[in-house]
Amino acid sequence: SWLFRVSRKRKPGEPPLVIGWIPFLGVALNYGRNPLAFLRLAQKKYGVIFTCKIAGKYITFITDPFSYSAVFRQGKILDFQKFAIGFSSKVFGHPDFTDPMYSSSYKDIHSIFRQTLQGPVLQQLTTSMMENTQIIMLRNNLSGWTKEGLQRFTIRIMFEAGYMTFFGREEQAIAEEDSAAKSLLMQKIIDDFLVFDKAFPEMAAGIPIHVLLRTFRAREALAEMLYHTCLKRNQHLSALIERRIHAFDQMSHIDELGKARANVSMLWASQANTLPAAFWSLYYMLRSPEALKAAQNEVDRMLRESDHKPVMAGSPLILSKEQLDGMSILGSIIEEALRLSSASIMIRVANDDFTLTLDSGMTANIRKGDYIALCPQMIHMDPEIYENPAEFKFDRYLDENGQKKTDFFKNGRKLKQFLIPFGSGASECPGRFFAMCEIKQFLTLVLWHYEMELEDVACAPLTTDSTRAGLGILPPKQDVQIRFRIRACTDGG
Ligand code: HEM
């Protein structure tokens, strides 16, 4: 019948075709299945490469970590951008910038990421983030212990600080007026962001945003705040946003709403993964006495060695990029938290028929229009690469000299890529250096300004909410209570 002819037959030279229904991305949400378990099962049965039909698309998974570079090398035939922009314009409602009608080429706009998020300019961005984080941390004159959910705490501080860092803030004098109204407004922005972000699995599964009315309204409310006319009134805009405003203002055919929605996509990119990553880093650090002690020692040492003058509690602390880079214990804590919580999938689309040669020399014919998918979580949770992979070990990424460890092996062979929370190749996150800096700052500032503990240290470890598998850093299934208070006096170590 017609129905049967929809499915294709495996041709000679093609990877095994997995028959049957497979959970993927947001689809997992509705069926409560576990993509990682599925992929492991399929790998056992079919080998390191196999093709599945998911939501009408043929997706070939490559599960051998040594073959990742074979995929990245095919940058011409295996396209990332078209897929990414197509998805982004559906979800965020901005124009498809790769369309030739928008005079300026997307390449120029894309290059702004690297120019404004990496290299020497990063110092300015991290300084701004450090200042903003402390404005928020020290704003409420808290005395005594405060109780709050750790996730709530992290989002409250990191979201507003990141928002100000990228999109600027009002002049101080204006900002101090009517602070109650301002904090209500920020709370509304956070709520809208969370509503929008929560629906990502559905949107990834192909449900149009117009059907998700609350999600659509939340996105439009966010866009409302990010019109160019609003942003131009702010001070301290990041170079990233300033350059994009300039570039989009020069492009023909884009209306103001389209530009504002493009800013929502930047807001999402800068927050959606950072918030859960900061949460897990702080959670694991607080939960492990050895990690907490080592982190505290590192912060104290760094402050002692720097020419940082002893300061009273409440005065802001500013660290240089070099100081942050030198904090390898915090680096290892964050990377270990990322390893345990990252579930992103890297996707490429074949824009022609071609033959992929894997690391083993085995070849596989891929058809035009098919997707290739890499799932780094299989590496992150591989017991051959990481002993007791489900366990948090704060020093997993430290070598015997306390420096960053980069030697990880599978089948006795050293792996080039053993931790891929930020993607790789053409889809590597341009914000990854900033992300590491801002989370290190966050941990440092929590240790510096607060005494903090989990209310129930002995309770079973939190688990991730895997309904978002495929989309980046997984949030926790539920929040966990902390208590904290501002440190009475800090003397720089
Ligand atoms: C893309 C992860 C923080 C900006 C990506 C991708 C991943 C990722 C996996 C590739 C997405 C894909 O394959 O479709 C993360 C993680 C973060 C983080 C784990 C935090 C822990 C940030 C921050 C920014 C940022 C702070 C700052 C603006 C971007 C942008 C892209 C991207 C602009 C799209 C790049 C492109 O289109 O080529 N991120 N990210 N990210 N990220 Fe991040």
Side-chain angles (χ1 to χ4, degrees), residues 408-476:
F408 292 90
F409 296 87
K410 185 172 171 74
N411 303 330
R413 276 176 71 188
K414 194 176 156 179
L415 286 156
K416 258 204 202 108
Q417 303 203 287
F418 46 84
L419 180 65
I420 323 179
F422 295 108
S424 188
S427 63
E428 190 164 28
C429 172
R432 62 195 182 281
F433 303 109
F434 176 67
M436 286 303 289
C437 281
E438 62 176 337
I439 300 172
K440 278 185 183 175
Q441 288 174 328
F442 177 60
L443 298 181
T444 301
L445 292 174
V446 166
L447 291 173
W448 175 258
H449 289 299
Y450 294 139
E451 277 176 75
M452 181 180 285
E453 55 200 39
L454 292 170
E455 283 241 286
D456 185 3
V457 193
C459 82
L462 281 178
T463 49
T464 52
D465 172 6
S466 58
T467 56
R468 292 179 66 99
L471 293 169
I473 307 296
L474 303 175

Side-chain angles (χ1 to χ4, degrees), residues 5-167:
R5 265 185 281 124
V6 176
S7 277
R8 72 190 192 190
K9 274 221 173 78
R10 180 184 178 192
K11 287 188 202 157
E14 286 187 342
L17 193 58
V18 179
I19 307 294
W21 179 87
I22 290 137
F24 184 58
L25 296 177
V27 182
L29 172 77
N30 306 329
Y31 301 88
R33 300 256 197 117
N34 177 347
L36 185 63
F38 164 78
L39 289 173
R40 281 182 175 150
L41 214 66
Q43 183 187 21
K44 251 201 195 121
K45 196 161 167 199
Y46 300 99
V48 297
I49 182 166
F50 47 86
T51 302
C52 312
K53 189 177 179 189
I54 297 165
K57 297 265 184 256
Y58 287 94
I59 305 186
T60 296
F61 286 90
I62 296 160
T63 63
D64 161 33
F66 293 105
S67 294
Y68 276 34
S69 46
V71 173
F72 301 137
R73 266 200 305 275
Q74 300 283 351
K76 280 234 165 64
I77 281 190
L78 289 177
D79 186 89
F80 164 67
Q81 218 140 67
K82 228 175 110 184
F83 165 77
I85 304 269
F87 179 61
S88 179
S89 68
K90 264 197 214 112
V91 168
F92 295 100
H94 60 64
D96 179 346
F97 304 119
T98 53
D99 190 317
M101 78 180 270
Y102 303 108
S103 54
S104 173
S105 89
Y106 183 70
K107 236 176 101 194
D108 296 337
I109 295 193
H110 192 261
S111 70
I112 296 175
F113 292 148
R114 210 175 1 85
Q115 291 161 15
T116 59
L117 291 170
Q118 298 176 21
V121 289
L122 203 48
Q123 181 62 59
Q124 208 183 332
L125 204 61
T126 52
T127 300
S128 171
M129 183 70 187
M130 194 90 174
E131 282 170 1
N132 290 330
T133 310
Q134 286 170 99
I135 289 175
I136 298 155
M137 278 186 168
L138 304 172
R139 188 163 49 197
N140 305 324
N141 233 340
L142 301 167
S143 57
W145 290 96
T146 302
K147 289 186 185 186
E148 195 174 8
L150 182 59
Q151 189 182 25
R152 213 187 123 86
F153 169 88
T154 306
I155 293 174
R156 178 168 63 76
I157 291 173
M158 290 296 272
F159 184 92
E160 185 173 354
Y163 190 90
M164 286 202 281
T165 300
F166 283 105
F167 298 102

